[in-house]
Amino acid sequence: MQAQAKPYPEAGAVEADWAVRRMAATELDTARGMFFLGVLETVRTDVGEEAVAACRAVTDERRFVGFFNYPVASFLKLAQVAARQLSPRWGGFDEALRQMGMQATRSFLESAVGRTFLLLAAGDPRKLVTNLPSGYQMAVSYGERTVDWKGEGDALFVMRRDFMPPAYHEGVLREVLTMVGARNPRVHGRKLGLLDTEYHITWEVPVALPTEPPRPSRWRVFQ
């Protein structure tokens, strides 16, 4: 008896989730071309040119310029197809999205605006997390983002009205923390609503050892 093939994990509710995200986007909701290019580069590197062609076929644009704005609804179509192409390579849809998020971060940080964003952080993960809302404003036209500090190396980053699934931004946030030198960064997303997600961000903070006061010299100085 031939075994039935298991349904693709994106079927049903997950497919509907993507469709509703696209329908919620308006013409004013845009993302920079560098993110489209980052997705295509991930697919090209991990799967090949044929898969890149399949991704391009679902968008109206035939060419993307890094700092131009493009409809986020188009990006959602591209990301969905790209995640299907990448899933066998990375062992699942969510991990494929994380990898795309990581590449998107690298593409952003290689731009002039991204390099400025890193310079403002000055190698300090706390400064970087504090500046995340303004960093996202440079990259996309939509959404509201806030940071709530729970402790040193421990923050909640809340995104409201953001169109990408949580796994994508888990990759974005983990990669940007790695780029600024955070030790063992961890990011876990929790959905609050269709377009609202809370990300728990933590990293290891170096322990500052107490400094001992200088010991008095055993030698007396004679004048």
Side-chain angles (χ1 to χ4, degrees):
M1 181 177 176
Q2 188 176 1
Q4 274 191 325
K6 293 183 179 179
Y8 189 74
E10 193 190 352
V14 178
E15 175 67 31
D17 179 81
W18 280 89
V20 174
R21 288 174 186 274
R22 289 194 301 270
M23 287 189 292
T26 72
E27 294 179 356
L28 299 177
D29 300 318
T30 60
R32 300 289 187 184
M34 65 186 71
F35 301 115
F36 291 78
L37 294 170
V39 168
L40 294 173
E41 182 59 31
T42 304
V43 173
R44 178 178 290 107
T45 301
D46 291 348
V47 188
E49 290 295 340
E50 188 174 333
V52 171
C55 292
R56 285 187 177 276
V58 300
T59 68
D60 295 330
E61 294 79 13
R62 289 296 171 260
R63 180 173 177 267
F64 298 103
V65 178
F67 228 70
F68 284 15
N69 291 318
Y70 300 91
V72 74
S74 183
F75 184 67
L76 286 165
K77 290 180 185 178
L78 178 68
Q80 186 179 7
V81 174
R84 288 177 186 162
Q85 300 283 349
L86 292 165
S87 287
R89 168 71 172 82
W90 291 104
F93 201 79
D94 280 354
E95 187 56 34
L97 285 170
R98 290 187 190 96
Q99 293 298 321
M100 286 193 291
M102 292 167 68
Q103 179 58 52
T105 299
R106 291 190 286 268
S107 298
F108 174 69
L109 295 179
E110 287 169 1
S111 70
V113 172
R115 290 194 295 270
T116 301
F117 179 69
L118 277 183
L119 284 173
L120 290 173
D124 184 346
R126 186 180 177 97
K127 282 185 180 179
L128 181 136
V129 172
T130 299
N131 291 334
L132 280 174
S134 60
Y136 270 89
Q137 282 184 334
M138 300 175 190
V140 298
S141 67
Y142 52 82
E144 297 179 3
R145 297 159 187 89
T146 57
V147 178
D148 182 13
W149 288 100
K150 301 299 179 183
E152 195 64 28
D154 188 347
L156 288 179
F157 183 49
V158 179
M159 294 188 181
R160 300 202 179 274
R161 200 174 176 274
D162 188 284
F163 296 96
M164 289 299 290
Y168 178 84
H169 288 297
E170 285 176 349
V172 168
L173 296 169
R174 189 173 61 191
E175 183 69 7
V176 76
L177 283 163
T178 299
M179 295 289 281
V180 84
R183 184 184 302 176
N184 192 23
R186 295 176 295 277
V187 182
H188 177 69
R190 183 175 71 90
K191 285 183 68 174
L192 304 175
L194 175 66
L195 303 181
D196 301 340
T197 308
E198 172 187 88
Y199 297 89
H200 187 200
I201 301 173
T202 60
W203 67 91
E204 294 178 7
V205 179
V207 178
L209 298 176
T211 56
E212 296 183 2
R215 296 180 181 179
S217 173
R218 294 182 299 171
W219 301 97
R220 295 178 63 187
V221 178
F222 293 94
Q223 294 183 346

